[in-house]
């Protein structure tokens, strides 16, 4: 098992004493900093990268539920090197769970389609759907629409799963008083070697590494055209359904420089960090989720999530995104007197946005990132 520099740094940070006390001291130094005001921040973001055109419409499954236990959805785009090992790991599960594998070829231009076809010829549990490129959200949505199983799982096509992963998740889903279950995961490098040790999923909100009863997705789909589409889990699923943590690290998450999760500095699509918040609040309202149920989440998204993605932004965009988030929070608070925050750090984040304190916003965001390593 490899141990890279990043993992060593994380361990050192976790072991460092008195982090919170140091944060409180630093907070005193910046709490009364000069406010940063930027007029028309949202319009400035629109000029850099307009909000995606997608608008939520209540979806429908294409097929009625069958007696099949599970549908495993694998979206695939230009992954000819990795989709074979991915499918091999899925098809090699040691389980009595009756599952289908829905592979959505999302307009691949390399040899991905040929690899998928080869596996489909050998195993009739695979259903292949080919479509023009719609992005990860569009591919996942097609898979959900076509699912026939009682439960759903997602496996990204450059990742792999351990031989007992399906069994672990489905056993917990069946036994627990819950609507979905969440496993831990393990990092692997581009060659498939494990990096570090397995990790819990307390700070990583992704669609993969989970099993859901089918009804969870009855009125939920991924917002097409956006990055950070997994934000829907916190807003639209965790607020309405009951989850259970499973002691299993059988999802193997592959790190590669060309993956969809690696957005380079200055990529204008990273501004979806802000646009996805507007979309989630709109969809939550459509689904009658009270603002008070997602307000603290939104405060933390406006600070910690934006700060955590700062390396993806052009440096000139960061103050503008901060100002847009502050304006957005003002709009949410207008006329809503029942918005309550439960943690001191969330209160600091809210204060930084309400008072336009850019330095406090940076400090709170930095502390949150350090605290979740």
């Amino acid at each position: 098992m490899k141990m890279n520099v990043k993992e060593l740094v994380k361990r050192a940070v976790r072991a460092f004493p008195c982090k919170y006390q140091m944060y409180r001291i630093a907070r005193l130094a910046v709490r009364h900093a000069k406010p940063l005001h930027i007029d028309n921040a949202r319009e400035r973001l629109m000029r850099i990268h307009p909000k995606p055109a997608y608008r939520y419409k209540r979806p429908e499954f294409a097929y009625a539920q069958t007696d099949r236990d599970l549908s495993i959805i694998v979206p695939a785009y230009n992954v000819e090197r990795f989709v074979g090992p991915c499918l091999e790991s899925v098809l090699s599960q040691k389980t009595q769970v009756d599952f289908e594998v829905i592979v959505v070829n999302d307009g691949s231009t390399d040899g991905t389609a040929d690899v998928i076809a080869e596996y489909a010829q050998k195993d009739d549990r695979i259903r292949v759907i080919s479509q023009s490129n719609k992005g990860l959200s569009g591919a996942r949505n097609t898979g959900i629409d076509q699912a026939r199983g009682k439960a759903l799982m997602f496996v990204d096509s450059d990742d792999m799963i351990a031989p007992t992963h399906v069994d672990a998740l489905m056993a917990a889903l069946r036994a627990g008083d819950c609507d979905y279950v969440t496993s831990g995961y393990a990092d692997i490098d581009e060659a498939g070697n494990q990096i570090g040790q397995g990790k819990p999923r307390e700070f990583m909100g992704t669609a993969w590494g989970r099993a859901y009863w089918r009804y969870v997705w009855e009125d939920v789909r991924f917002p097409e055209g956006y990055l950070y589409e997994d934000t829907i889990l916190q807003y639209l699923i965790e607020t309405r359904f009951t989850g259970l943590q499973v002691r299993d690290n059988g999802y193997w998450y592959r790190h590669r420089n060309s993956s969809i999760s690696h957005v380079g500095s200055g990529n204008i699509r990273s501004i979806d960090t802000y646009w996805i918040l507007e979309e989630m609040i709109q969809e939550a309202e459509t689904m009658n989720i009270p603002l008070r149920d997602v307000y603290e989440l939104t405060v933390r998204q406006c600070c910690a999530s934006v700060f955590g993605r700062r390396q993806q932004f052009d440096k000139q965009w960061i103050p503008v995104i901060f100002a847009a988030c502050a304006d957005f929070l003002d709009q949410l608070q207008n006329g809503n007197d029942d918005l309550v925050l439960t943690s001191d750090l969330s209160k600091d984040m809210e204060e930084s946005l309400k008072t336009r304190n850019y330095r406090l916003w940076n400090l709170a965001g930095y502390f949150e990132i350090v605290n979740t390593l």
Side-chain angles (χ1 to χ4, degrees), residues 23-288:
Y23 164 75
R24 300 307 290 179
I25 293 171
R27 176 182 175 275
L28 292 174
V30 302
R31 190 174 183 188
H32 300 291
K34 183 179 179 180
L36 173 65
H37 292 279
I38 297 177
D39 294 332
N40 303 315
R42 187 183 186 278
E43 288 73 15
R44 295 187 186 202
L45 294 182
M46 284 289 287
R47 288 196 292 270
I48 300 169
H49 171 59
K51 183 177 180 178
Y54 170 87
R55 296 297 178 266
Y56 172 81
K57 295 180 181 178
R58 184 177 175 87
E60 293 182 358
F61 291 108
Y63 296 99
Q65 179 178 300
T66 66
D67 290 334
R68 179 150 266 170
D69 297 322
L70 175 67
S71 297
I72 301 176
I73 297 166
V74 182
Y77 175 70
N78 286 358
V79 282
E80 62 179 335
R81 288 179 54 200
F82 304 110
V83 69
C86 172
L87 293 177
E88 195 72 46
S89 72
V90 172
L91 297 171
S92 300
Q93 291 296 294
K94 297 178 179 178
T95 183
Q96 296 301 309
V97 173
D98 178 23
F99 65 86
E100 64 174 351
V101 185
I102 303 174
V103 186
V104 182
N105 177 27
D106 191 41
S108 297
T109 58
D110 63 356
T112 296
D114 294 335
V115 176
I116 294 171
E118 181 180 343
Y119 276 88
Q121 288 177 354
K122 295 187 294 185
D123 197 313
D124 62 8
R125 289 176 294 179
I126 294 180
R127 291 169 55 204
V128 181
I129 300 170
S130 296
Q131 64 182 31
S132 58
N133 182 257
K134 294 183 178 180
L136 179 58
S137 289
R140 283 176 173 171
N141 288 344
T142 296
I144 298 169
D145 292 344
Q146 296 291 320
R148 301 176 183 178
K150 300 174 184 176
L152 274 65
M153 279 180 58
F154 301 95
V155 179
D156 285 355
S157 54
D158 50 356
D159 297 335
M160 299 167 65
I161 56 176
T164 58
H165 185 59
V166 164
D167 222 37
L169 292 186
M170 288 302 294
L173 187 62
R174 288 165 166 167
D177 184 14
C178 60
D179 305 300
Y180 66 95
V181 294
T182 302
S183 76
Y185 69 102
D187 294 311
I188 60 175
D189 63 18
E190 194 150 340
N193 303 305
Q194 185 172 340
I195 307 170
Q197 299 179 348
K199 305 174 183 178
R201 287 278 297 285
E202 53 186 325
F203 301 121
M204 194 173 188
T206 57
W208 49 256
R210 304 175 193 257
Y212 318 77
W213 289 123
R214 174 188 173 98
Y215 59 76
V216 170
W217 294 94
E218 184 174 357
D219 61 352
V220 177
R221 294 295 186 272
F222 293 94
E224 297 183 21
Y226 286 87
L227 291 183
Y228 319 116
E229 62 286 319
D230 286 344
T231 308
I232 66 166
L233 297 168
Q234 295 169 290
Y235 276 87
L236 308 182
I237 292 180
E238 293 178 10
T239 53
R240 299 188 297 159
F241 299 100
T242 302
L244 179 71
Q245 293 284 334
V246 180
R247 295 177 63 86
D248 174 78
N249 295 323
Y251 192 95
W252 297 341
Y253 174 69
R254 191 187 304 269
H255 289 261
R256 59 189 186 98
N257 291 332
S258 59
S259 73
I260 196 169
S261 62
H262 289 79
V263 180
S265 175
N267 185 316
I268 59 173
R269 292 196 64 201
S270 64
I271 292 174
D272 285 351
T273 292
Y274 173 77
W275 298 129
I276 196 70
L277 295 179
E278 288 193 356
E279 179 64 28
M280 289 299 96
I281 291 296
Q282 290 169 1
E283 292 194 26
E285 183 178 358
T286 299
M287 296 179 189
N288 297 315

Side-chain angles (χ1 to χ4, degrees), residues 6-33:
K6 184 177 180 180
E7 188 68 24
L8 289 171
V9 170
K10 286 183 178 181
R11 288 193 175 192
V13 170
R14 291 188 199 112
F16 194 81
C18 305
K19 292 192 293 289
Y20 184 69
Q21 289 82 352
M22 293 178 66
Y23 164 75
R24 300 307 290 179
I25 293 171
R27 176 182 175 275
L28 292 174
V30 302
R31 190 174 183 188
H32 300 291

